Amino acid sequence: MFEGKIIIFSAPSGAGKTTLVKYLLAHNSDLAFSVSATTRACRPGEVHGKDYYFISKEEFEKHIANHDFVEYEEVYAGTYYGTLKSEIERIWAQNKHVIIDADVKGGLNIKKQYKERALSVFVQPPNIQILEQRLRTRNTDSEESIRKRMEKAISEITFGEKFDVVILNDNLDKACAEAQAVYERFKNQSSQYAS
Ligand code: ADP
Ligand code: 5GP
């Protein structure tokens, strides 16, 4: 019988987790993305229901009251992000494993709840200067948003040891190959990562 698992990617913003998550989704048809709910504005190119469910603060609060979230965080002051229980159920019902992109706190929280059914992966940027450079090159954030993200990154960059696996994202091809190897190992024998 199929036993659905969850692979969680966390990292300071700009480390490359979206890039690695997209790589895994493109190369593994047995994996599907858990679409989070957020109150942040949609960036150009993002699609409602694919990248995120872009909802109002009121709608988000309704989900909290209904206990619809596995976890949620005010990742940046005034901006909420949360993983919906219905996403995990939807994906497992398709006989697929779940891949989640969450901040460091949220990622550890999901791991704590799902234990050996989940693998927490931390994407480590080479250093804080390169992280800032990547955020600027991505060209999606205002100066204020970059400042907020860098402020948070300075504390998050040291969190790697709390995760099951750390992937250094220096050379992208190498990091993608490592992410693929980690995923294959986990889906075939998760017990080695049990808490
Ligand atoms: P995150 O999801 O962690 O915020 P992204 O995946 O959006 O990060 O990556 C941030 C930026 O850095 C993007 O423009 C991406 O193309 C780029 N990037 C990702 N990995 C690398 C890498 N190894 N080397 C150089 N640039 C990278
Ligand atoms: P971004 O605004 O760059 O898409 O994401 C900002 C941060 O929110 C990232 O660190 C991302 O991992 C995190 N995030 C996205 N979805 C969730 C979620 O469902 N829960 C939590 N806790 N964080 C999330």
Side-chain angles (χ1 to χ4, degrees), residues 9-22 43 52 76 101 123 126 130-131 133-141 149 168-176:
F9 275 73
S10 298
S13 189
K17 70 187 167 318
T18 307
T19 308
L20 292 179
V21 165
K22 285 194 172 156
R43 291 178 190 144
Y52 282 108
Y76 304 107
D101 174 335
V123 182
I130 290 183
L131 190 74
Q133 230 174 55
R134 285 185 189 167
L135 275 178
R136 291 187 184 282
T137 310
R138 189 169 71 182
N139 218 9
T140 54
D141 293 84
R149 279 157 203 272
L168 173 69
N169 182 18
D170 186 356
N171 175 294
L172 185 57
D173 288 342
K174 243 174 103 182
C176 287

Side-chain angles (χ1 to χ4, degrees), residues 9-13 17 36-37 40 43 46 52 71-73 75-76 81-83 100-107 138 141 149 152 156:
F9 275 73
S10 298
S13 189
K17 70 187 167 318
S36 295
R40 95 149 152 71
R43 291 178 190 144
E46 285 182 328
Y52 282 108
E71 63 76 38
Y72 69 91
E73 297 284 340
V75 176
Y76 304 107
Y81 295 79
T83 306
I100 297 180
D101 174 335
D103 81 326
V104 165
K105 244 169 114 182
R138 189 169 71 182
D141 293 84
R149 279 157 203 272
K152 195 168 151 77
E156 285 185 339

Side-chain angles (χ1 to χ4, degrees), residues 8 19 21 29 37 43 61 67 69 83 93-94 98-99 107 113 133 144 160 176 180 182-183:
I8 310 151
T19 308
V21 165
S29 56
R43 291 178 190 144
E61 280 164 356
H67 305 285
F69 288 118
T83 306
Q94 297 168 352
V98 179
I99 188 162
Q113 294 184 56
Q133 230 174 55
E144 171 63 8
C176 287
Q180 181 65 27
V182 163
Y183 173 58

Side-chain angles (χ1 to χ4, degrees), residues 12-57:
S13 189
K17 70 187 167 318
T18 307
T19 308
L20 292 179
V21 165
K22 285 194 172 156
Y23 176 87
L24 287 181
L25 284 166
H27 290 84
N28 298 277
S29 56
D30 60 358
L31 195 56
F33 184 60
S34 165
V35 181
S36 295
T38 182
T39 62
R40 95 149 152 71
C42 185
R43 291 178 190 144
E46 285 182 328
V47 177
H48 176 82
K50 184 166 169 269
D51 297 288
Y52 282 108
Y53 297 111
F54 296 98
I55 62 176
S56 65
K57 193 148 179 251

